[in-house]
Amino acid sequence: MKFVSTIVGIVLFILFFGFALKNTQEVDLHFFLQYELRGPLVLMLLAFFVAGAAFGIMALAPTVFRQRREKWLNKITIQSLQSAAGTGTPVAPAPDSVPPAPPRH
């Protein structure tokens, strides 16, 4: 599987590198207040992709931190309940027992 993912990675790199070589023309990016930025198209696309990924990570950060905090609080609660019950270590549940079938006549 690692070999397949390596091949896919190489193919994607070649495709994106070819895309970058085909899009080297200069583009103008116009902002408010007559501010203008000029640069190669591929760099503009890369910059906006990186900015979008950064904004996406920042948007997910509160959810990730909240889930980690809830996991930590749940772990503390489980430990306190186990110590209150007198068991310091978690006990694996016993498998359901199946009653033997009645004899057939």
Side-chain angles (χ1 to χ4, degrees):
M1 189 66 184
K2 188 174 182 178
F3 178 73
V4 173
S5 64
T6 303
I7 296 296
V8 169
I10 291 171
V11 169
L12 285 175
F13 175 77
I14 291 170
L15 286 174
F16 289 140
F17 188 71
F19 176 77
L21 290 176
K22 295 296 255 177
N23 291 294
T24 57
Q25 63 268 23
E26 291 281 323
V27 293
D28 295 331
L29 183 62
H30 299 279
F31 293 100
F32 295 108
L33 302 175
Q34 303 300 322
Y35 183 70
E36 183 178 313
L37 185 64
R38 173 172 270 191
L41 176 61
V42 70
L43 290 182
M44 295 289 182
L45 290 173
L46 178 64
F48 278 95
F49 174 77
V50 169
F55 282 129
I57 290 170
M58 288 189 315
L60 284 176
T63 303
V64 170
F65 289 134
R66 185 180 69 245
Q67 288 177 349
R68 284 184 182 180
R69 185 176 61 245
E70 288 174 359
K71 178 182 171 186
W72 179 74
L73 290 174
N74 289 339
K75 187 175 181 180
I76 297 294
T77 304
I78 289 170
Q79 288 175 351
S80 66
L81 289 173
Q82 285 175 347
S83 65
T87 60
T89 59
V91 178
D96 293 338
S97 61
V98 178
R104 294 184 184 203
H105 297 286

XYZ file of all heavy atoms in Angstrom:
818
model
N 0.822 -1.196 0.000
C 0.000 0.000 0.000
C 0.864 1.257 0.000
O 0.505 2.257 -0.588
C -0.920 -0.055 1.231
C -1.953 1.008 1.245
S -3.085 0.743 -0.126
C -4.115 2.127 0.015
N 2.026 1.167 0.698
C 2.914 2.320 0.730
C 3.459 2.613 -0.668
O 3.628 3.768 -1.037
C 4.047 2.060 1.710
C 4.913 3.259 1.950
C 5.930 2.996 3.038
C 6.752 4.238 3.275
N 7.712 4.060 4.340
N 3.689 1.564 -1.436
C 4.185 1.729 -2.803
C 3.154 2.463 -3.659
O 3.504 3.362 -4.423
C 4.520 0.354 -3.399
C 4.993 0.415 -4.809
C 6.249 0.900 -5.110
C 4.177 0.006 -5.857
C 6.701 0.961 -6.416
C 4.611 0.072 -7.168
C 5.871 0.551 -7.451
N 1.891 2.100 -3.515
C 0.819 2.731 -4.295
C 0.691 4.204 -3.917
O 0.564 5.071 -4.791
C -0.518 1.986 -4.084
C -1.669 2.725 -4.732
C -0.426 0.570 -4.611
N 0.745 4.502 -2.621
C 0.628 5.906 -2.209
C 1.831 6.726 -2.679
O 1.697 7.902 -3.011
C 0.459 6.012 -0.698
O 1.597 5.530 -0.035
N 3.004 6.112 -2.733
C 4.182 6.803 -3.259
C 4.006 7.112 -4.743
O 4.304 8.226 -5.187
C 5.446 5.953 -3.042
O 5.582 5.667 -1.653
C 6.679 6.667 -3.536
N 3.515 6.151 -5.496
C 3.278 6.363 -6.929
C 2.244 7.455 -7.150
O 2.424 8.340 -7.995
C 2.849 5.037 -7.610
C 3.969 4.011 -7.546
C 2.394 5.265 -9.040
C 5.220 4.401 -8.298
N 1.151 7.424 -6.377
C 0.116 8.452 -6.502
C 0.688 9.822 -6.160
O 0.408 10.820 -6.840
C -1.097 8.116 -5.601
C -2.062 9.282 -5.501
C -1.808 6.880 -6.120
N 1.525 9.898 -5.129
C 2.163 11.158 -4.756
C 3.064 11.699 -5.863
O 3.065 12.901 -6.151
N 3.823 10.824 -6.484
C 4.714 11.245 -7.579
C 3.897 11.741 -8.766
O 4.215 12.777 -9.365
C 5.655 10.093 -7.970
C 6.667 9.836 -6.850
C 6.370 10.383 -9.280
C 7.502 8.575 -7.033
N 2.841 11.034 -9.104
C 1.996 11.442 -10.227
C 1.351 12.800 -9.946
O 1.327 13.685 -10.820
C 0.932 10.364 -10.527
C -0.124 10.876 -11.491
C 1.591 9.118 -11.088
N 0.833 12.995 -8.728
C 0.234 14.289 -8.381
C 1.258 15.417 -8.423
O 0.958 16.523 -8.891
C -0.424 14.214 -7.007
C -1.744 13.463 -6.936
C -2.224 13.369 -5.498
C -2.789 14.121 -7.811
N 2.472 15.136 -7.940
C 3.518 16.158 -7.991
C 3.824 16.545 -9.433
O 3.949 17.733 -9.750
C 4.794 15.654 -7.301
C 5.933 16.615 -7.419
C 5.985 17.741 -6.621
C 6.951 16.410 -8.345
C 7.031 18.647 -6.725
C 7.995 17.297 -8.473
C 8.036 18.430 -7.657
N 3.931 15.578 -10.316
C 4.220 15.867 -11.726
C 3.081 16.677 -12.347
O 3.322 17.646 -13.088
C 4.487 14.562 -12.502
C 5.816 13.954 -12.048
C 4.498 14.802 -14.006
C 6.081 12.560 -12.567
N 1.840 16.310 -12.036
C 0.694 17.067 -12.569
C 0.696 18.509 -12.075
O 0.500 19.453 -12.851
C -0.617 16.380 -12.194
C -0.948 15.107 -12.962
C -2.193 14.449 -12.378
C -1.140 15.413 -14.432
N 0.911 18.703 -10.773
C 0.909 20.067 -10.225
C 2.113 20.865 -10.710
O 2.010 22.079 -10.943
C 0.871 20.042 -8.697
C -0.453 19.585 -8.148
C -0.504 18.745 -7.054
C -1.646 19.990 -8.722
C -1.716 18.321 -6.544
C -2.867 19.568 -8.220
C -2.902 18.739 -7.127
N 3.242 20.208 -10.882
C 4.418 20.905 -11.397
C 4.181 21.348 -12.838
O 4.529 22.463 -13.223
C 5.650 19.994 -11.290
C 6.929 20.684 -11.606
C 7.451 21.625 -10.741
C 7.620 20.392 -12.776
C 8.640 22.269 -11.025
C 8.810 21.021 -13.076
C 9.324 21.974 -12.196
N 3.572 20.476 -13.634
C 3.226 20.864 -15.010
C 2.223 22.002 -15.033
O 2.312 22.913 -15.868
N 1.253 21.982 -14.111
C 0.286 23.074 -13.997
C 1.007 24.379 -13.681
O 0.698 25.432 -14.256
C -0.719 22.741 -12.897
C -1.700 23.819 -12.624
C -2.776 24.033 -13.477
C -1.574 24.619 -11.505
C -3.688 25.037 -13.225
C -2.480 25.617 -11.239
C -3.548 25.828 -12.105
N 1.986 24.322 -12.784
C 2.735 25.519 -12.413
C 3.540 26.055 -13.599
O 3.618 27.272 -13.808
C 3.657 25.219 -11.241
N 4.132 25.163 -14.376
C 4.922 25.610 -15.526
C 4.053 26.236 -16.619
O 4.511 27.104 -17.355
C 5.722 24.443 -16.100
C 6.869 23.930 -15.233
C 7.516 22.717 -15.883
C 7.890 25.019 -14.983
N 2.799 25.781 -16.728
C 1.912 26.319 -17.767
C 1.264 27.642 -17.356
O 0.679 28.315 -18.182
C 0.802 25.310 -18.085
C 1.293 24.034 -18.704
C 1.901 24.289 -20.044
C 0.963 23.844 -21.119
N 1.446 24.108 -22.444
N 1.328 28.021 -16.077
C 0.641 29.223 -15.594
C 1.623 30.205 -14.974
O 1.496 30.599 -13.815
C -0.427 28.830 -14.559
C -1.562 28.080 -15.190
O -2.293 28.632 -15.980
N -1.674 26.802 -14.854
N 2.596 30.629 -15.761
C 3.606 31.565 -15.258
C 3.337 33.004 -15.676
O 4.103 33.896 -15.309
C 4.999 31.160 -15.760
O 4.983 31.124 -17.182
C 5.409 29.817 -15.197
N 2.251 33.256 -16.426
C 1.996 34.625 -16.873
C 1.670 35.524 -15.681
O 1.184 35.094 -14.665
C 0.872 34.675 -17.925
C -0.475 34.220 -17.445
C -0.727 32.754 -17.672
O 0.202 31.980 -17.806
N -1.975 32.366 -17.678
N 1.962 36.812 -15.849
C 1.722 37.803 -14.805
C 0.241 38.122 -14.718
O -0.447 38.237 -15.735
C 2.491 39.091 -15.127
C 3.995 38.965 -15.020
C 4.491 39.028 -13.593
O 3.926 39.811 -12.804
O 5.426 38.290 -13.267
N -0.236 38.267 -13.490
C -1.622 38.669 -13.264
C -1.635 39.831 -12.279
O -0.715 40.008 -11.481
C -2.488 37.513 -12.721
C -2.651 36.430 -13.752
C -1.926 36.955 -11.442
N -2.683 40.636 -12.370
C -2.868 41.756 -11.455
C -4.002 41.422 -10.506
O -5.070 40.968 -10.919
C -3.230 43.030 -12.225
C -2.101 43.485 -13.128
O -0.941 43.221 -12.797
O -2.405 44.100 -14.174
N -3.774 41.662 -9.228
C -4.796 41.474 -8.213
C -5.117 42.852 -7.655
O -4.246 43.510 -7.075
C -4.290 40.529 -7.117
C -5.261 40.177 -6.019
C -6.468 39.442 -6.607
C -4.584 39.312 -4.984
N -6.350 43.293 -7.850
C -6.754 44.633 -7.436
C -7.474 44.573 -6.098
O -8.442 43.833 -5.937
C -7.677 45.257 -8.487
C -7.020 45.393 -9.825
N -6.166 46.411 -10.139
C -7.068 44.599 -10.931
C -5.733 46.269 -11.373
N -6.268 45.159 -11.873
N -6.980 45.382 -5.142
C -7.602 45.488 -3.833
C -8.333 46.822 -3.752
O -8.349 47.610 -4.693
C -6.530 45.417 -2.725
C -5.864 44.071 -2.627
C -4.614 43.850 -3.193
C -6.486 43.035 -1.958
C -4.009 42.617 -3.094
C -5.873 41.794 -1.847
C -4.634 41.596 -2.416
N -8.924 47.068 -2.600
C -9.575 48.349 -2.359
C -8.525 49.442 -2.193
O -7.353 49.175 -1.954
C -10.447 48.278 -1.102
C -11.600 47.326 -1.248
C -11.611 46.120 -0.581
C -12.678 47.637 -2.062
C -12.660 45.246 -0.712
C -13.736 46.772 -2.208
C -13.727 45.565 -1.528
N -8.939 50.666 -2.311
C -8.089 51.854 -2.153
C -6.946 51.884 -3.166
O -5.829 52.286 -2.867
C -7.537 51.944 -0.732
C -8.582 51.991 0.391
C -7.906 51.950 1.741
C -9.450 53.231 0.250
N -7.214 51.426 -4.368
C -6.276 51.472 -5.490
C -4.978 50.699 -5.241
O -3.952 50.991 -5.833
C -5.940 52.938 -5.847
C -7.132 53.790 -6.185
C -7.898 53.249 -7.390
O -7.295 52.762 -8.328
N -9.215 53.335 -7.329
N -5.012 49.712 -4.353
C -3.841 48.892 -4.111
C -3.853 47.741 -5.106
O -4.870 47.106 -5.345
C -3.840 48.362 -2.680
C -2.624 47.552 -2.338
C -1.376 48.147 -2.207
C -2.715 46.180 -2.175
C -0.260 47.397 -1.914
C -1.606 45.417 -1.883
C -0.375 46.034 -1.753
O 0.730 45.288 -1.468
N -2.704 47.475 -5.701
C -2.600 46.442 -6.726
C -1.391 45.565 -6.443
O -0.330 46.056 -6.064
C -2.451 47.111 -8.097
C -2.412 46.150 -9.246
C -2.314 46.895 -10.572
O -3.065 47.851 -10.780
O -1.454 46.495 -11.363
N -1.582 44.258 -6.641
C -0.498 43.307 -6.448
C -0.302 42.568 -7.759
O -1.249 42.107 -8.372
C -0.858 42.329 -5.327
C 0.195 41.329 -4.898
C 1.402 42.051 -4.299
C -0.389 40.392 -3.863
N 0.946 42.456 -8.195
C 1.255 41.808 -9.469
C 2.226 40.667 -9.234
O 3.173 40.783 -8.473
C 1.887 42.848 -10.406
C 2.410 42.284 -11.694
C 2.819 43.365 -12.594
N 1.595 43.646 -13.354
C 1.535 44.399 -14.423
N 2.602 45.010 -14.825
N 0.428 44.565 -15.063
N 1.926 39.513 -9.873
C 2.801 38.358 -9.723
C 2.349 37.229 -10.627
O 1.321 37.323 -11.300
N 3.110 36.142 -10.659
C 2.744 34.995 -11.486
C 1.442 34.354 -10.989
O 1.174 34.301 -9.789
C 3.901 34.032 -11.320
C 5.011 34.815 -10.739
C 4.401 35.953 -10.023
N 0.653 33.857 -11.922
C -0.635 33.260 -11.604
C -0.484 32.087 -10.646
O -1.254 31.953 -9.691
C -1.337 32.805 -12.886
C -2.658 32.071 -12.723
C -3.673 32.967 -12.035
C -3.175 31.589 -14.062
N 0.503 31.243 -10.861
C 0.658 30.064 -10.019
C 0.969 30.457 -8.577
O 0.498 29.824 -7.631
C 1.708 29.100 -10.600
C 3.105 29.668 -10.489
C 1.608 27.743 -9.944
N 1.728 31.526 -8.373
C 2.012 31.972 -7.012
C 0.775 32.562 -6.356
O 0.552 32.389 -5.157
C 3.164 32.974 -6.997
C 4.542 32.404 -7.318
C 5.609 33.489 -7.234
C 4.876 31.253 -6.394
N -0.042 33.259 -7.128
C -1.304 33.801 -6.587
C -2.224 32.649 -6.169
O -2.815 32.681 -5.084
C -2.011 34.670 -7.624
C -1.276 35.916 -8.001
S -1.307 37.074 -6.644
C -0.449 38.426 -7.389
N -2.327 31.632 -7.013
C -3.164 30.488 -6.674
C -2.640 29.767 -5.433
O -3.412 29.379 -4.552
C -3.234 29.517 -7.854
C -4.029 29.993 -9.065
C -3.864 29.008 -10.208
C -5.484 30.163 -8.708
N -1.336 29.595 -5.354
C -0.731 28.941 -4.198
C -0.981 29.753 -2.928
O -1.323 29.182 -1.881
C 0.767 28.739 -4.418
C 1.535 28.103 -3.262
C 1.042 26.679 -3.026
C 3.022 28.125 -3.544
N -0.827 31.054 -3.018
C -1.041 31.909 -1.844
C -2.484 31.819 -1.356
O -2.734 31.711 -0.147
C -0.685 33.358 -2.180
N -3.451 31.838 -2.272
C -4.842 31.754 -1.855
C -5.202 30.360 -1.361
O -6.031 30.207 -0.460
C -5.771 32.205 -2.983
C -5.884 33.694 -3.044
C -5.079 34.419 -3.902
C -6.764 34.377 -2.225
C -5.158 35.797 -3.956
C -6.855 35.752 -2.270
C -6.057 36.467 -3.133
N -4.567 29.328 -1.894
C -4.790 27.972 -1.383
C -4.277 27.857 0.048
O -4.956 27.318 0.926
C -4.095 26.945 -2.279
C -4.152 25.553 -1.730
C -5.320 24.811 -1.828
C -3.055 24.997 -1.108
C -5.393 23.531 -1.317
C -3.116 23.717 -0.586
C -4.290 22.984 -0.697
N -3.073 28.377 0.298
C -2.492 28.321 1.645
C -3.337 29.142 2.613
O -3.595 28.711 3.744
C -1.024 28.796 1.611
C -0.475 29.012 3.005
C -0.173 27.800 0.855
N -3.799 30.318 2.179
C -4.637 31.147 3.044
C -5.951 30.433 3.366
O -6.421 30.456 4.513
C -4.907 32.499 2.382
N -6.550 29.772 2.381
C -7.784 29.029 2.621
C -7.584 27.876 3.578
O -8.416 27.625 4.461
N -6.469 27.167 3.437
C -6.171 26.063 4.351
C -5.957 26.585 5.773
O -6.433 25.990 6.745
C -4.937 25.299 3.878
N -5.267 27.719 5.901
C -5.034 28.306 7.229
C -6.347 28.737 7.870
O -6.577 28.498 9.062
C -4.075 29.490 7.118
N -7.231 29.366 7.096
C -8.535 29.772 7.635
C -9.365 28.545 8.023
O -10.081 28.562 9.021
C -9.300 30.640 6.648
C -8.824 32.062 6.604
C -8.509 32.661 5.396
C -8.695 32.814 7.757
C -8.070 33.965 5.342
C -8.250 34.122 7.716
C -7.928 34.705 6.505
N -9.275 27.484 7.249
C -9.991 26.251 7.584
C -9.501 25.644 8.886
O -10.297 25.197 9.719
N -8.186 25.634 9.089
C -7.620 25.114 10.330
C -8.042 25.977 11.509
O -8.407 25.471 12.580
C -6.087 25.013 10.223
C -5.712 23.894 9.260
C -5.443 24.778 11.588
C -4.245 23.849 8.894
N -8.016 27.291 11.327
C -8.443 28.191 12.409
C -9.921 28.008 12.724
O -10.337 28.122 13.877
C -8.146 29.646 12.047
C -6.673 29.982 12.085
S -6.268 31.736 11.916
C -7.283 32.291 10.575
N -10.732 27.715 11.721
C -12.160 27.506 11.952
C -12.416 26.208 12.714
O -13.365 26.122 13.488
C -12.908 27.494 10.621
N -11.577 25.187 12.517
C -11.741 23.911 13.205
C -11.112 23.884 14.590
O -11.448 23.014 15.399
C -11.131 22.786 12.377
C -11.941 22.336 11.172
C -11.169 21.290 10.390
C -13.269 21.780 11.603
N -10.206 24.800 14.876
C -9.470 24.773 16.144
C -10.382 24.795 17.365
O -10.177 23.998 18.293
C -8.454 25.914 16.195
N -11.401 25.660 17.461
C -12.249 25.635 18.662
C -12.944 24.289 18.872
O -13.042 23.810 20.006
C -13.280 26.740 18.403
C -12.652 27.640 17.416
C -11.769 26.770 16.578
N -13.390 23.658 17.812
C -14.051 22.358 17.927
C -13.073 21.304 18.435
O -13.409 20.502 19.313
C -14.620 21.925 16.570
O -15.513 22.932 16.109
C -15.338 20.607 16.663
N -11.869 21.298 17.908
C -10.865 20.320 18.328
C -10.509 20.519 19.798
O -10.457 19.553 20.572
C -9.605 20.408 17.440
C -8.466 19.573 18.004
C -9.927 19.987 16.024
N -10.297 21.770 20.215
C -9.951 22.028 21.610
C -11.102 21.668 22.545
O -10.888 21.138 23.633
C -9.530 23.481 21.806
C -8.186 23.797 21.199
C -8.010 24.940 20.442
C -7.101 22.959 21.376
C -6.781 25.238 19.882
C -5.875 23.241 20.822
C -5.709 24.382 20.076
N -12.345 21.939 22.126
C -13.502 21.594 22.956
C -13.610 20.077 23.109
O -13.849 19.573 24.205
C -14.784 22.163 22.349
C -16.012 21.931 23.232
C -17.287 22.487 22.652
N -17.681 21.720 21.469
C -17.723 22.199 20.240
N -17.430 23.457 20.001
N -18.089 21.433 19.228
N -13.403 19.337 22.021
C -13.478 17.874 22.097
C -12.370 17.304 22.974
O -12.590 16.353 23.724
C -13.425 17.267 20.700
C -14.695 17.484 19.915
C -14.607 16.939 18.510
O -13.538 16.575 18.037
N -15.737 16.889 17.831
N -11.173 17.873 22.886
C -10.081 17.409 23.744
C -10.399 17.676 25.215
O -10.125 16.841 26.072
C -8.772 18.106 23.370
C -8.145 17.575 22.122
C -6.819 18.233 21.864
N -6.244 17.747 20.628
C -5.091 18.157 20.148
N -4.393 19.070 20.806
N -4.632 17.680 19.025
N -10.964 18.857 25.510
C -11.321 19.192 26.885
C -12.411 18.247 27.395
O -12.338 17.753 28.527
C -11.771 20.651 26.975
C -12.041 21.115 28.401
C -12.397 22.587 28.484
N -13.606 22.875 27.742
C -13.662 23.643 26.652
N -12.574 24.194 26.167
N -14.803 23.856 26.035
N -13.429 17.968 26.567
C -14.483 17.052 26.974
C -13.937 15.644 27.206
O -14.347 14.966 28.151
C -15.589 17.018 25.919
C -16.433 18.271 25.890
C -17.440 18.272 24.741
O -17.467 17.295 23.961
O -18.186 19.250 24.639
N -13.011 15.210 26.361
C -12.401 13.890 26.530
C -11.647 13.828 27.857
O -11.751 12.850 28.598
C -11.454 13.603 25.364
C -10.739 12.283 25.459
C -9.782 12.107 24.296
C -8.909 10.887 24.492
N -7.884 10.770 23.466
N -10.898 14.883 28.185
C -10.144 14.939 29.423
C -11.094 14.926 30.622
O -10.877 14.195 31.587
C -9.268 16.185 29.420
C -8.456 16.351 30.670
C -7.347 15.645 31.026
C -8.709 17.274 31.720
N -6.894 16.083 32.234
C -7.706 17.091 32.686
C -9.663 18.248 31.922
C -7.650 17.836 33.845
C -9.601 19.000 33.086
C -8.615 18.793 34.028
N -12.177 15.704 30.559
C -13.146 15.736 31.656
C -13.835 14.384 31.819
O -14.077 13.934 32.943
C -14.180 16.838 31.425
C -13.670 18.276 31.565
C -14.747 19.268 31.167
C -13.182 18.538 32.969
N -14.162 13.729 30.710
C -14.778 12.405 30.782
C -13.825 11.390 31.405
O -14.236 10.526 32.182
C -15.235 11.933 29.407
C -16.433 12.700 28.905
O -17.168 13.303 29.678
N -16.636 12.686 27.600
N -12.545 11.497 31.075
C -11.550 10.585 31.645
C -11.454 10.794 33.151
O -11.398 9.827 33.915
C -10.198 10.818 30.972
C -9.146 9.830 31.369
C -7.870 10.061 30.571
C -6.815 9.060 30.955
N -5.587 9.256 30.196
N -11.458 12.045 33.596
C -11.410 12.358 35.028
C -12.654 11.817 35.722
O -12.576 11.232 36.816
C -11.283 13.884 35.245
C -9.968 14.402 34.665
C -11.420 14.245 36.715
C -8.734 13.899 35.354
N -13.819 11.976 35.090
C -15.065 11.482 35.667
C -15.044 9.969 35.800
O -15.448 9.420 36.831
C -16.259 11.926 34.806
O -16.251 13.339 34.680
C -17.566 11.469 35.408
N -14.568 9.274 34.781
C -14.484 7.812 34.827
C -13.550 7.369 35.942
O -13.868 6.448 36.706
C -14.039 7.250 33.459
C -15.152 7.415 32.442
C -13.616 5.793 33.582
C -14.742 7.110 31.029
N -12.408 8.024 36.067
C -11.462 7.660 37.118
C -12.054 7.890 38.501
O -11.882 7.069 39.404
C -10.162 8.436 36.957
C -9.325 7.981 35.787
C -8.094 8.849 35.576
O -7.949 9.899 36.197
N -7.208 8.404 34.678
N -12.776 8.993 38.691
C -13.369 9.269 39.994
C -14.481 8.270 40.308
O -14.627 7.841 41.449
C -13.887 10.705 40.066
O -14.960 10.887 39.182
N -15.264 7.886 39.315
C -16.312 6.892 39.537
C -15.721 5.524 39.854
O -16.251 4.794 40.703
C -17.229 6.801 38.320
C -18.161 8.001 38.084
C -18.885 7.858 36.760
C -19.138 8.144 39.229
N -14.631 5.166 39.187
C -13.989 3.891 39.463
C -13.392 3.871 40.862
O -13.477 2.863 41.564
C -12.910 3.592 38.421
C -13.457 3.166 37.087
C -12.376 2.988 36.036
O -11.240 3.403 36.237
N -12.733 2.369 34.918
N -12.795 4.983 41.271
C -12.221 5.012 42.620
C -13.327 5.005 43.672
O -13.166 4.430 44.739
C -11.306 6.218 42.785
O -12.055 7.409 42.686
N -14.473 5.631 43.375
C -15.593 5.620 44.315
C -16.206 4.225 44.413
O -16.704 3.830 45.469
C -16.651 6.628 43.882
N -16.168 3.478 43.342
C -16.720 2.125 43.343
C -15.746 1.126 43.956
O -16.105 -0.023 44.188
C -17.083 1.700 41.928
N -14.519 1.533 44.197
C -13.547 0.655 44.824
C -12.680 -0.113 43.854
O -11.885 -0.934 44.266
N -12.833 0.138 42.579
C -11.986 -0.547 41.595
C -11.036 0.475 41.010
O -11.450 1.474 40.435
C -12.822 -1.175 40.472
O -13.556 -0.151 39.813
C -13.774 -2.204 41.023
N -9.767 0.224 41.176
C -8.773 1.154 40.650
C -8.490 0.945 39.183
O -8.029 1.820 38.496
N -8.760 -0.269 38.713
C -8.496 -0.570 37.304
C -9.810 -0.918 36.626
O -10.705 -1.508 37.237
C -7.530 -1.763 37.169
O -8.106 -2.896 37.804
C -6.190 -1.450 37.800
N -9.937 -0.554 35.383
C -11.171 -0.888 34.678
C -11.318 -2.395 34.522
O -10.348 -3.108 34.283
C -11.038 -0.197 33.326
C -9.594 0.102 33.165
C -9.009 0.187 34.547
N -12.525 -2.864 34.687
C -12.807 -4.287 34.567
C -13.493 -4.524 33.234
O -14.457 -3.843 32.891
C -13.716 -4.759 35.727
C -14.061 -6.225 35.584
C -13.062 -4.473 37.056
N -12.990 -5.505 32.493
C -13.586 -5.817 31.200
C -14.943 -6.475 31.442
O -15.094 -7.299 32.346
C -12.687 -6.740 30.408
N -15.942 -6.101 30.667
C -17.253 -6.714 30.862
C -17.210 -8.195 30.489
O -16.515 -8.608 29.572
C -18.162 -5.936 29.918
C -17.260 -5.339 28.905
C -15.941 -5.125 29.599
N -17.971 -8.977 31.240
C -18.035 -10.411 30.965
C -18.885 -10.641 29.731
O -19.866 -9.926 29.503
C -18.643 -11.138 32.152
N -18.523 -11.615 28.918
C -19.338 -11.871 27.725
C -20.712 -12.397 28.137
O -20.875 -13.014 29.191
C -18.543 -12.921 26.955
C -17.638 -13.530 27.959
C -17.376 -12.488 29.006
N -21.693 -12.099 27.328
C -23.042 -12.581 27.601
C -23.033 -14.102 27.595
O -22.474 -14.743 26.707
C -24.032 -12.082 26.545
C -24.225 -10.580 26.621
O -23.947 -10.014 27.691
O -24.645 -9.985 25.622
N -23.672 -14.663 28.607
C -23.733 -16.117 28.650
C -25.009 -16.572 27.949
O -26.054 -15.956 28.072
C -23.712 -16.616 30.092
O -24.829 -16.103 30.783
N -24.863 -17.620 27.217
C -25.993 -18.177 26.489
C -26.419 -19.442 27.219
O -25.598 -20.335 27.443
C -25.606 -18.500 25.035
C -26.767 -19.124 24.287
C -25.107 -17.250 24.346
N -27.686 -19.522 27.655
C -28.105 -20.730 28.365
C -28.064 -21.923 27.423
O -28.279 -21.797 26.215
C -29.537 -20.418 28.807
C -29.989 -19.318 27.923
C -28.755 -18.567 27.508
N -27.741 -23.080 27.965
C -27.684 -24.262 27.099
C -29.063 -24.584 26.522
O -30.090 -24.335 27.135
C -27.174 -25.362 28.006
C -27.424 -24.885 29.390
C -27.439 -23.376 29.333
N -29.061 -25.103 25.351
C -30.318 -25.468 24.701
C -30.946 -26.659 25.415
O -30.231 -27.556 25.894
C -30.076 -25.804 23.243
N -32.276 -26.694 25.483
C -32.918 -27.844 26.134
C -32.700 -29.102 25.294
O -32.567 -29.047 24.075
C -34.398 -27.448 26.170
C -34.560 -26.398 25.149
C -33.228 -25.721 25.025
N -32.620 -30.262 25.959
C -32.383 -31.504 25.209
C -33.555 -31.812 24.286
O -34.699 -31.573 24.609
C -32.237 -32.562 26.304
C -32.826 -31.977 27.529
C -32.766 -30.488 27.387
N -33.260 -32.360 23.152
C -34.294 -32.726 22.178
C -34.631 -34.192 22.360
O -33.759 -35.026 22.553
C -33.815 -32.472 20.766
C -33.619 -31.018 20.504
C -33.245 -30.790 19.079
N -32.973 -29.358 18.892
C -33.046 -28.760 17.739
N -33.344 -29.439 16.676
N -32.797 -27.492 17.638
N -35.882 -34.507 22.274
C -36.325 -35.893 22.432
C -36.684 -36.507 21.132
O -37.116 -36.085 20.210
C -37.514 -36.000 23.383
C -37.150 -35.542 24.764
N -36.379 -36.284 25.612
C -37.461 -34.430 25.441
C -36.273 -35.652 26.750
N -36.919 -34.511 26.669
